[in-house]
Amino acid sequence: MKTSAIVYCENEFGKLDGKVANGLVRHSDKYKIVGIIDSSKSGLDAGEYLDGIKSGIPIFNDFHQAITILDNIPKYFIYGIAPLEPTLSTKEKEIVYEAIRSGMHIVNGLPEFFSDDKVCTDLAKKYGVSIFDVRKPPSKENLHSFTGKIRDVQTPIITVSGTDCAVGKRTTALKLVEALQKEGLHAIFITTGQTGILQGSRYGIAIDMLSSGFASGEVENAILESLKEQPDIIVVEGQGALSHPAFTSSSAIIRGAMPKAIILQHPPKRKTRCDFPEILMPTLESEIEMLEVFSGAKVIAITINHEGMNDQEVENVTTMYEEKYQLPVTDVLKNDCDKLIEKLYEVFPDLRSVKPILWEPQD
C-alpha cells in the first residue's frame, strides 16, 4: 500500500529543476502524492499543468495551506527540487524543519544530506521521525566493483540515453517498460538516479554520488540482481549525456550495463545545455556517433522531449528525423511507444516468441 507524501517544489514545478516532483506526479509505485507545494502554480491540478491530464493532485501555495486543507498530515515530506546548487538556503531548511515539527518523515534527493545536519537530526529525534537521504551511498564494504559478468548476460539490455540532462530519459524508460509489460513481456527498469528510487524502482542506485571505482560496478550489479526475476528485457535509465563535460555518469552507465541497443532522447528546441547556458547543445549526429563508438551498440530509435514545441512542430520534427536518420522517432508523452516496441522486436526477434504473461507490478 502506498504511503501519503507531499512534495516541495517551490517555483520549479514543471520546470527542469523540478524534475523530481514532475516525475513523482507522472509515476509513483511507492508514494501516494497528495499535493505539490509551489506558490507560482497554486490552485492548479499538477497533472493538468504538467501534461494536460488531470491527476487529482492539488498544488498548494505553501506548507501551511497544504496541511490545513488536506484531511490528514501526509506521512512523508519529499524535497522535490534538483537544483545545480548542492546546498539549501536557510529559508528552505526552515521549511524542512517545519515539516519535521509536523511529524512528517523527510525524504531528500539532494546531494546535501539532511542526516548530516545537526538541527535536522536533533529535531527528527525529538519528534520521532526519520530522515531518508536517497542519494547517500552505502558504506564502501557494501558497494560493488565491476566484475565483467555483464558480458555474459543474454537478456536484451537497453539504455535510454540523452543529449543533455533533464530531457526525459527516465520518463521515456518508464513509459517503455510499462508498454512492454502490456505486451506481456517481463520488462524491468533499472534506475540510476534519485527520482527513480523515489518512484519505487526495485533495482538501481543514484550513481552520481559514487566514486568512479564503484559507479560502473553498481550499474552492473543492479542488472545482475534483476536477473533473479528472469526478465525478458531490461531498460536502464541514462544520466546526463555522454558528450556533456559536467557529468561522468553516462559513461559509467554504458560501461556497467554494456547495452545491446540504445534509445536516444533529445529536445529539438533546446539550444544550450541545461544549467550551462554558455555550452551549446550537441547535434544528434555527433551524439549518435559518440554513443555508438563508445558503447559498441547501435542507437535504434530517437525519442523527443517536446519542451517549447506545439503538436504540429512535434509531428514535423518526427517526420524530418525519421527521414534523415532512418530510425523510428516518437514522443512517448504525446503519442505512445508502439514504434519503439516494433523496433525492439526487429532488433531482438526472440522477444516475439516470449509467452505473454499477465503482468502485475510487484510491491
Side-chain angles (χ1 to χ4, degrees):
M1 183 177 177
K2 295 180 184 179
T3 50
S4 61
I6 194 162
V7 185
Y8 177 80
C9 196
E10 176 58 26
N11 201 40
E12 297 296 339
F13 184 68
K15 299 180 183 179
L16 298 180
D17 285 353
K19 64 180 184 178
V20 175
N22 303 343
L24 287 168
V25 167
R26 287 177 172 139
H27 178 92
S28 180
D29 292 326
K30 187 172 183 178
Y31 301 105
K32 179 184 178 182
I33 306 303
V34 297
I36 303 293
I37 297 172
D38 182 348
S39 62
S40 65
K41 291 100 182 173
S42 178
L44 302 178
D45 178 278
E48 187 172 31
Y49 178 82
L50 199 59
D51 297 318
I53 303 171
K54 285 191 175 181
S55 63
I57 301 173
I59 303 178
F60 297 107
N61 186 67
D62 55 28
F63 183 79
H64 288 291
Q65 184 192 47
I67 61 175
T68 299
I69 292 177
L70 291 171
D71 293 334
N72 298 293
I73 294 177
K75 188 172 182 179
Y76 292 93
F77 175 94
I78 301 174
Y79 193 87
I81 305 174
L84 183 63
E85 297 79 11
T87 58
L88 295 184
S89 67
T90 301
K91 181 180 179 181
E92 289 168 321
K93 286 184 178 180
E94 283 297 331
I95 295 168
V96 176
Y97 301 157
E98 188 174 12
I100 294 174
R101 294 187 188 100
S102 298
M104 300 171 68
H105 300 290
I106 305 300
V107 183
N108 169 38
L110 292 170
E112 177 186 9
F113 304 137
F114 294 171
S115 58
D116 293 338
D117 182 308
K118 191 174 187 304
V119 177
C120 262
T121 54
D122 287 349
L123 282 172
K125 185 177 180 179
K126 179 178 179 179
Y127 290 93
V129 303
S130 300
I131 298 171
F132 301 95
D133 290 314
V134 299
R135 282 167 84 176
K136 197 168 192 175
S139 57
K140 287 187 178 179
E141 61 267 23
N142 292 319
L143 289 170
H144 299 85
S145 298
F146 183 80
T147 67
K149 292 178 182 178
I150 194 72
R151 296 177 299 172
D152 301 323
V153 176
Q154 299 302 307
T155 305
I157 299 171
I158 314 302
T159 59
V160 179
S161 300
T163 53
D164 196 9
C165 58
V167 292
K169 297 179 286 291
R170 184 196 66 259
T171 297
T172 290
L174 285 168
K175 288 285 187 182
L176 177 58
V177 167
E178 181 182 4
L180 288 165
Q181 290 172 353
K182 288 180 179 177
E183 287 280 300
L185 295 168
H186 187 179
I188 284 181
F189 170 69
I190 307 291
T191 192
T192 54
Q194 72 272 23
T195 306
I197 296 170
L198 289 170
Q199 289 174 315
S201 175
R202 299 191 304 282
Y203 301 103
I205 191 171
I207 68 165
D208 63 350
M209 298 303 294
L210 302 176
S211 68
S212 59
F214 292 110
S216 61
E218 282 296 324
V219 174
E220 178 193 46
N221 181 69
I223 294 171
L224 296 178
E225 283 292 308
S226 77
L227 293 177
K228 295 174 182 178
E229 292 191 32
Q230 297 182 310
D232 299 314
I233 186 169
I234 296 168
V235 181
V236 183
E237 173 194 14
Q239 292 291 329
L242 187 60
S243 63
H244 202 307
F247 305 104
T248 60
S249 47
S250 290
S251 60
I253 291 166
I254 291 171
R255 291 181 189 278
M258 290 194 172
K260 296 173 173 63
I262 297 170
I263 293 170
L264 182 58
Q265 179 93 1
H266 178 64
K269 282 291 188 76
R270 194 178 295 186
K271 302 300 182 185
T272 59
R273 302 278 197 178
C274 172
D275 292 326
F276 294 89
E278 74 283 2
I279 304 178
L280 295 176
M281 284 287 290
T283 63
L284 271 172
E285 291 89 342
S286 65
E287 198 72 33
I288 290 171
E289 181 181 12
M290 183 178 290
L291 282 165
E292 291 185 343
V293 169
F294 188 83
S295 68
K298 288 291 185 181
V299 172
I300 63 168
I302 297 168
T303 46
I304 292 172
N305 176 321
H306 60 252
E307 62 182 45
M309 303 173 70
N310 58 39
D311 289 348
Q312 187 60 54
E313 287 174 315
V314 171
E315 185 177 336
N316 293 344
V317 166
T318 297
T319 301
M320 180 183 70
Y321 283 177
E322 287 187 331
E323 291 176 354
K324 184 174 182 179
Y325 299 104
Q326 294 298 295
L327 293 171
V329 179
T330 192
D331 177 337
V332 302
L333 286 177
K334 286 188 174 292
N335 299 303
D336 52 42
C337 293
D338 289 354
K339 291 179 182 179
L340 304 181
I341 291 175
E342 190 59 35
K343 186 64 177 181
L344 288 171
Y345 281 141
E346 177 188 324
V347 176
F348 305 105
D350 287 349
L351 288 175
R352 289 191 182 277
S353 63
V354 173
K355 184 178 179 180
I357 60 172
L358 181 60
W359 174 255
E360 292 184 4
Q362 298 182 13
D363 293 332

